[in-house]
Amino acid sequence: MASRHLGKKGIQASFRVGLVLPRVVASTERQISSTIFKRASESVCFSFARYVNGFGFSSLSNWSRSHESFPTDTSIRYFHASRETLARRKEDADRLVSHRERKKQTVKTKGKFSKREKKPDMPPVEAPYVPPRLKRLAKGLPEKTVDIFEGMTLLELSRRTGESVAVLQSILINVGETVSSEFDTISVDVAELLAMEIGINVRRQHSTEGSEILPRPPVVTVMGHVDHGKTSLLDALRNTSVAAREAGGITQHVGAFVVGMPDSGTSITFLDTPGHAAFSEMRARGAAVTDIVVLVVAADDGVMPQTLEAIKHARSANVPIVVAINKCDKPGADPEKVKYQLTSEGIELEDIGGNVQAVEVSAMKSTGLDKLEEALLLQAVDMDLKARVDGPAQAYVVEARLDKGRGPLATIIVKAGTLVRGQHVVIGSQWGRLRAIRDMIGKTTDRATPAMPVEIEGLKGLPMAGDDVIVVESEERARMLSEGRKRKYEKDRLLKAEEARTEEAARTETESEEGFVRVELPIVVKSDVQGTAQAVADALKTLNSPQVFVNIVHSGVGAISHSDLDLAQACGACIVGFNVKGGSCANLSAAQASVKVFHHRVIYHLLEDIGNLIVEKAPGVSEMEVAGEAEVLSIFKILGKRRTEDDGVSIAGCKVMDGRVCRSGLMRLLRSGEVVFEGPCASLKREKQDVDQVGKGNECGLVMGEWNDFRVGDVIQCMEPVIRKPKFISSESGAVRIEC
């Protein structure tokens, strides 16, 4: 008994402290199996291994600390158990799981066709709001411009653009070019193509190293206010009469002429720019390509708005100015006044110690032209104008038009190099092979030298005025460069359209909140030349007002076609044809499609007609206007059923002093100049008869709703709602606007 008791206590003590039994003898094994589970309802035989290495009895020790004896239902680890015990063992949630069973469960849950547990039907939990990540808008990104030149290495281009050499090499492979090393040189065309693919603007730099540099004629741009005699002055210099053939007597295109000076025998290239306010972009292009600006100011009119604008363009282009004071033969001419006005605008004339020459001329009587010629040649000698003669040409598009028989034509001025017939050129996003080169007289020539204005044909499309002319070596290179520029231009156009749409939507939302109503006026613009079409479109956009939005849906060159009519009919637009012809078929189709077509040759008449159309289409603003005034002369009171004054009605006996008094209007009662009451008219009678209105000088009886406190001498104003339309205003300088 003692040995049994000691054996039981020793084993329990070992269980309590969680010891590991390194070796259990056979007698002790029998004692445990016969003693520990004597009180169990079912007989379970444990057979401990002789060597139990690494097995801890922590679960048994934890239980033994709180109980003096072992339970019958315990969740311990079983060895050689019966079937019933094994079944209960599987249902036990707190049992220890072996590594093999855990691995089987993991493989089963990760299986391909494992059964998913059905989630209980619970209401959805509202997730916390996470603000979206702000995207960086394309318009906020600054446009980077890099300088490229002929013979630059791929490594140099990578440094300037900030793109890795590997990316540039992959782009080269895609476009069909191969470069073995990053130190290999590439052409300026390939460099531009690479820059366009990564979204960077380029500026071409041309080197004059090893080229023949010779003196060239000056390029002179004639600028000034409208009707100050610019074209007449050019006609006097070249003995022609272009001004007499201009529509409306004003210049509306950019013209390029070569004038041979009779005294010196030299030639000067002149650019004639329009003076109307709508052609500001044309004047800016003329100042950008010129060497000298001739500022024409009428002696009888003085400095005007377009004169100041011409001075601004010349200063921004850093071009010297020669002042020609025209119309000095007129009786009201005052050249000294013109010089004083120019001095006040910052023009330092030679008379006061400056460096700006001023010449008094008369285009009608051809006086002072020799002095103007001398001033221009002296200015050109001081500037020492020279240009590269050999090598590929650099040119600038002055104007572009579409000819019915010859196709797209572009008037250009060569700045450097020599342009040869048969070369492949890229102008803006258009390309072509020069089929013919003609001078301004219309004579065909094989080449064009610096400062020579020529007209070229053979382009695939119509370029924009102001584009640069680039000579490339092959047709494939020209086509590739043109396609790359088209993609970039289209991307820029879509970005600008998206910005304009966003701004218009924000403006519309603001106006709708404030109660404004704004309608849209879509317009299709067709003109004879590209520069004029752009100028007309810009001039029409200036007619935007808070009530009418002018939307230029299309601007093109050429006659009005059926496709233009279909576009106008689809979007409900009107068509503006400036200096173009509309055939009888097109006019008939426009009448059938109910499309308004405006044909004009003078910019004044065009802007006036479109301004009147905007005024007609504008919804207007509703305002209250005083329709008439009446003075209270006497007061009549009618008692009610209760025979009290509070229950009665006061009738104001009035006389209409101005305008008319209407029953449907809003009545405003003024006493000593202050508004006392506003309300509707309950009754209006004249000679005991109900009337709708009473005219000036007549007497009437008037009852105002909910107001009986009339006094003799009160003034009653009749207010009527009116629709206030905007006004079309045109200034003397040609500037127009819509005033709401």
Side-chain angles (χ1 to χ4, degrees):
M1 290 294 292
S3 62
R4 290 180 182 178
H5 186 68
L6 288 174
K8 180 178 179 181
K9 285 187 176 182
I11 292 297
Q12 287 180 354
S14 300
F15 284 173
R16 287 191 185 99
V17 296
L19 298 178
V20 177
L21 302 182
R23 184 182 179 112
V24 182
V25 295
S27 60
T28 308
E29 181 179 350
R30 285 194 301 270
Q31 292 174 2
I32 292 174
S33 59
S34 60
T35 306
I36 295 179
F37 299 98
K38 187 188 329 181
R39 295 170 56 190
S41 58
E42 57 182 26
S43 175
V44 180
C45 296
F46 283 88
S47 176
F48 287 95
R50 292 183 181 274
Y51 298 97
V52 184
N53 294 327
F55 181 79
F57 296 90
S58 60
S59 61
L60 294 179
S61 64
N62 293 336
W63 182 90
S64 62
R65 291 189 186 116
S66 57
H67 298 77
E68 293 183 357
S69 60
F70 289 100
T72 56
D73 259 350
T74 179
S75 58
I76 64 174
R77 191 168 182 178
Y78 300 92
F79 295 92
H80 303 288
S82 63
R83 293 181 178 179
E84 293 80 2
T85 309
L86 287 175
R88 190 171 68 250
R89 178 189 175 194
K90 290 183 179 181
E91 297 175 358
D92 190 1
D94 297 332
R95 66 185 178 86
L96 298 176
V97 183
S98 65
H99 176 69
R100 182 177 297 177
E101 290 181 351
R102 190 182 301 110
K103 187 175 181 181
K104 287 182 180 180
Q105 291 178 1
T106 305
V107 172
K108 185 176 180 181
T109 55
K110 290 185 179 180
K112 184 176 181 181
F113 302 102
S114 60
K115 186 177 180 181
R116 296 182 179 179
E117 296 182 0
K118 186 177 181 181
K119 296 182 179 180
D121 295 335
M122 297 291 292
V125 180
E126 184 177 356
Y129 172 73
V130 179
R133 189 176 181 181
L134 294 177
K135 295 183 179 180
R136 203 175 179 186
L137 297 177
K139 65 179 181 180
L141 298 175
E143 292 189 356
K144 187 177 181 181
T145 303
V146 299
D147 295 333
I148 59 175
F149 52 88
E150 187 71 30
M152 69 184 308
T153 62
L154 194 63
L155 182 61
E156 178 67 20
L157 182 63
S158 173
R159 289 174 179 173
R160 297 194 178 198
T161 58
E163 199 65 50
S164 63
V165 178
V167 173
L168 298 180
Q169 287 179 343
S170 64
I171 297 175
L172 280 175
I173 295 174
N174 293 335
V175 299
E177 299 287 339
T178 56
V179 176
S180 59
S181 172
E182 60 185 16
F183 299 102
D184 291 350
T185 60
I186 57 177
S187 65
V188 67
D189 301 330
V190 175
E192 181 180 351
L193 196 61
L194 290 174
M196 284 191 301
E197 289 294 330
I198 59 180
I200 294 179
N201 299 328
V202 297
R203 184 171 47 246
R204 293 192 175 216
Q205 300 292 336
H206 298 272
S207 175
T208 58
E209 226 178 289
S211 302
E212 185 180 3
I213 301 177
L214 297 175
R216 64 171 178 86
V219 179
V220 179
T221 299
V222 182
M223 305 177 69
H225 193 71
V226 62
D227 201 24
H228 276 201
K230 298 181 297 297
T231 307
S232 300
L233 183 60
L234 283 176
D235 289 342
L237 287 172
R238 57 184 177 166
N239 296 323
T240 57
S241 58
V242 175
R245 298 193 300 268
E246 293 282 359
I250 60 172
T251 302
Q252 301 175 121
H253 304 83
V254 175
F257 316 99
V258 178
V259 179
M261 294 300 168
D263 297 336
S264 62
T266 59
S267 61
I268 298 178
T269 300
F270 282 96
L271 288 179
D272 187 15
T273 60
H276 192 271
F279 302 107
S280 176
E281 290 295 328
M282 289 188 178
R283 290 188 289 274
R285 289 196 299 269
V289 75
T290 191
D291 300 318
I292 305 171
V293 168
V294 174
L295 184 64
V296 179
V297 185
D300 60 340
D301 202 6
V303 175
M304 299 298 287
Q306 268 62 59
T307 309
L308 301 178
E309 183 187 316
I311 295 174
K312 179 182 177 182
H313 288 320
R315 285 175 175 171
S316 62
N318 197 18
V319 177
I321 298 175
V322 175
V323 179
I325 304 176
N326 195 15
K327 301 183 180 181
C328 290
D329 57 321
K330 283 194 172 184
D334 191 358
E336 297 301 326
K337 178 183 176 182
V338 173
K339 292 180 181 180
Y340 175 76
Q341 291 176 344
L342 291 174
T343 304
S344 62
E345 295 297 334
I347 303 296
E348 299 177 356
L349 301 177
E350 286 185 342
D351 297 347
I352 59 173
N355 56 358
V356 177
Q357 304 178 69
V359 183
E360 299 178 8
V361 298
S362 174
M364 298 301 295
K365 294 186 177 182
S366 299
T367 58
L369 300 182
D370 53 345
K371 295 182 180 180
L372 178 61
E373 174 190 350
E374 182 183 353
L376 293 176
L377 293 178
L378 181 61
Q379 185 69 44
V381 170
D382 292 342
M383 297 176 67
D384 192 19
L385 299 174
K386 293 183 180 180
R388 173 177 54 87
V389 179
D390 55 351
Q394 298 172 242
Y396 184 88
V397 178
V398 176
E399 196 60 273
R401 64 188 180 93
L402 191 63
D403 189 81
K404 190 173 183 181
R406 297 157 58 191
L409 303 176
T411 302
I412 65 173
I413 291 182
V414 181
K415 296 187 287 187
T418 303
L419 189 66
V420 183
R421 182 166 61 92
Q423 289 180 333
H424 292 87
V425 296
V426 177
I427 306 178
S429 61
Q430 306 297 333
W431 70 278
R433 183 176 180 270
L434 298 182
R435 189 166 59 243
I437 301 176
R438 290 181 175 86
D439 57 13
M440 291 296 97
I441 307 176
K443 185 180 178 181
T444 306
T445 180
D446 291 336
R447 59 185 62 241
T449 54
M452 182 177 177
V454 293
E455 189 177 62
I456 60 174
E457 62 176 278
L459 301 176
K460 301 297 181 182
L462 196 67
M464 298 293 293
D467 288 340
D468 290 325
V469 181
I470 299 170
V471 179
V472 295
E473 57 186 13
S474 63
E475 179 181 344
E476 181 183 0
R477 181 66 55 80
R479 185 183 291 108
M480 188 181 302
L481 199 58
S482 174
E483 291 176 356
R485 288 185 174 185
K486 284 181 180 178
R487 289 195 298 268
K488 187 177 184 306
Y489 290 166
E490 183 66 17
K491 182 180 178 181
D492 295 343
R493 187 189 66 83
L494 292 177
L495 285 176
K496 290 181 180 178
E498 184 65 25
E499 292 178 10
R501 193 180 299 111
T502 305
E503 292 177 0
E504 183 64 23
R507 188 186 299 109
T508 304
E509 183 179 356
T510 305
E511 291 172 353
S512 62
E513 291 177 356
E514 295 178 357
F516 290 102
V517 178
R518 197 180 193 193
V519 297
E520 181 182 356
L521 178 61
I523 299 177
V524 176
V525 177
K526 296 301 290 288
S527 180
D528 54 344
V529 294
Q530 183 69 45
T532 305
Q534 183 179 355
V536 170
D538 294 340
L540 292 177
K541 288 180 181 178
T542 60
L543 297 177
N544 280 330
S545 66
Q547 299 183 24
V548 179
F549 169 64
V550 178
N551 182 19
I552 307 298
V553 295
H554 175 65
S555 177
V557 176
I560 299 174
S561 60
H562 288 281
S563 60
D564 299 327
L565 293 174
D566 294 340
L567 175 62
Q569 186 179 8
C571 60
C574 63
I575 300 177
V576 173
F578 190 76
N579 278 335
V580 295
K581 296 180 180 179
S584 58
C585 296
N587 293 334
L588 180 61
S589 301
Q592 293 176 354
S594 299
V595 176
K596 290 185 178 180
V597 180
F598 299 91
H599 289 280
H600 288 285
R601 298 186 62 194
V602 183
I603 191 68
Y604 294 112
H605 303 158
L606 169 64
L607 296 178
E608 185 177 354
D609 279 0
I610 299 300
N612 294 331
L613 180 63
I614 290 175
V615 171
E616 178 185 348
K617 195 176 180 64
V621 179
S622 179
E623 296 179 354
M624 299 300 293
E625 186 181 39
V626 178
E629 289 186 355
E631 183 180 356
V632 179
L633 301 179
S634 60
I635 302 170
F636 306 95
K637 294 186 178 180
I638 301 177
L639 300 179
K641 295 181 179 179
R642 299 178 183 176
R643 311 300 295 177
T644 60
E645 294 185 359
D646 297 337
D647 191 33
V649 177
S650 296
I651 302 174
C654 306
K655 182 178 181 179
V656 181
M657 310 301 295
D658 188 18
R660 67 183 188 278
V661 176
C662 301
R663 183 175 182 178
S664 59
L666 179 69
M667 299 302 168
R668 176 187 293 173
L669 182 63
L670 300 178
R671 183 172 297 166
S672 300
E674 296 182 358
V675 179
V676 179
F677 177 77
E678 283 188 359
C681 178
S683 175
L684 181 63
K685 292 187 177 184
R686 173 169 168 75
E687 296 179 354
K688 299 183 180 182
Q689 292 183 359
D690 292 327
V691 293
D692 294 332
Q693 66 178 9
V694 179
K696 179 180 179 180
N698 298 321
E699 296 181 352
C700 62
L702 188 144
V703 177
M704 296 178 62
E706 300 180 0
W707 184 261
N708 294 323
D709 186 16
F710 292 105
R711 295 181 185 178
V712 176
D714 290 346
V715 177
I716 299 176
Q717 291 182 344
C718 178
M719 311 293 294
E720 286 185 342
V722 294
I723 302 299
R724 188 78 63 186
K725 289 278 190 176
K727 296 179 181 179
F728 173 76
I729 299 176
S730 176
S731 62
E732 295 180 358
S733 62
V736 295
R737 71 180 189 274
I738 301 294
E739 184 177 302
C740 295

